[in-house]
């Protein structure tokens, strides 16, 4: 086995481990976020809907990146 092949396996295993960690432990981070927003007395502002010009700009940028 070559060194680059071993490195590929190590990277793949680290990515799998990170993905599985994120999948099986989301409740810990979510509960902390829910606690802070539930105890906050500040009103929650919903994000403003993008204007037509902003939508067209986003679409144009997406087409440029393809």
């Amino acid at each position: 086995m070559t060194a680059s092949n071993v490195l590929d396996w190590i990277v793949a295993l680290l990515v799998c481990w990170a993905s599985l960690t994120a999948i099986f432990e989301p409740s810990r981070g979510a509960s902390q976020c829910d606690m802070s927003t539930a105890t906050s007395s500040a009103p929650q502002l919903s994000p403003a809907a993008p204007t037509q010009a902003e939508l067209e700009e986003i679409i144009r940028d997406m087409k440029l990146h393809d």
Side-chain angles (χ1 to χ4, degrees):
M1 207 184 289
T2 63
S4 64
N5 204 6
V6 171
L7 184 61
D8 289 343
W9 274 102
I10 292 171
V11 170
L13 289 173
L14 287 173
V15 169
C16 287
W17 175 77
S19 298
L20 290 173
T21 302
I23 290 170
F24 289 114
E25 294 185 12
S27 60
R28 186 183 331 168
S31 64
Q32 291 173 351
C33 289
D34 291 342
M35 293 280 285
S36 66
T37 56
T39 59
S40 173
S41 61
Q44 299 294 322
L45 299 175
S46 61
T51 63
Q52 185 64 30
E54 290 172 334
L55 287 174
E56 290 172 1
E57 181 181 353
I58 292 170
I59 292 170
R60 185 181 70 239
D61 288 345
M62 291 172 80
K63 288 180 181 178
L64 289 175
H65 290 290
D66 284 340

